[in-house]
Amino acid sequence: MLAVDDGNALLSAALVCTGILPIPHHMADGHVASGELEPLFEGWPCDSMPVYLAHPPNRHVSARLRVSIDRVVERMAIHAPMASQRKTIRRS
């Protein structure tokens, strides 16, 4: 059994034929297109994975951090549209 907490480690394991592994679509799509990976269980529901951004609550959110947060939210809306539909992002 393989236990990792890094998507890149899962992808590397999948590419060396380790077995059936859960890999996010945005990481696997190129490898599926090239034939290196084969999708299984398409259409099966899977649990969402929360994503959190941590920063000190007692400090002002700088313009640089605000741009970074907005960019992550924008990218997640593209790669994980279900998550963006379920929750409203609370702005500081």
Side-chain angles (χ1 to χ4, degrees):
M1 182 169 145
L2 175 67
V4 298
D5 62 357
D6 182 328
N8 290 318
L10 277 174
L11 180 59
S12 294
L15 292 171
V16 295
C17 303
T18 301
I20 298 172
L21 300 168
I23 300 171
H25 286 285
H26 72 273
M27 294 180 78
D29 285 345
H31 299 285
V32 170
S34 71
E36 294 174 279
L37 295 177
E38 184 175 338
L40 300 174
F41 309 114
E42 290 186 270
W44 283 38
C46 68
D47 294 333
S48 63
M49 182 184 338
V51 175
Y52 300 96
L53 175 73
H55 61 85
N58 58 347
R59 293 190 186 158
H60 172 72
V61 176
S62 69
R64 176 181 268 174
L65 179 56
R66 177 82 266 150
V67 167
S68 297
I69 292 169
D70 291 345
R71 179 72 175 147
V72 168
V73 170
E74 175 186 310
R75 299 302 297 167
M76 290 304 294
I78 293 168
H79 292 296
M82 295 297 292
S84 65
Q85 291 172 5
R86 282 193 305 241
K87 285 188 174 177
T88 302
I89 304 300
R90 192 179 103 216
R91 299 203 177 250
S92 302

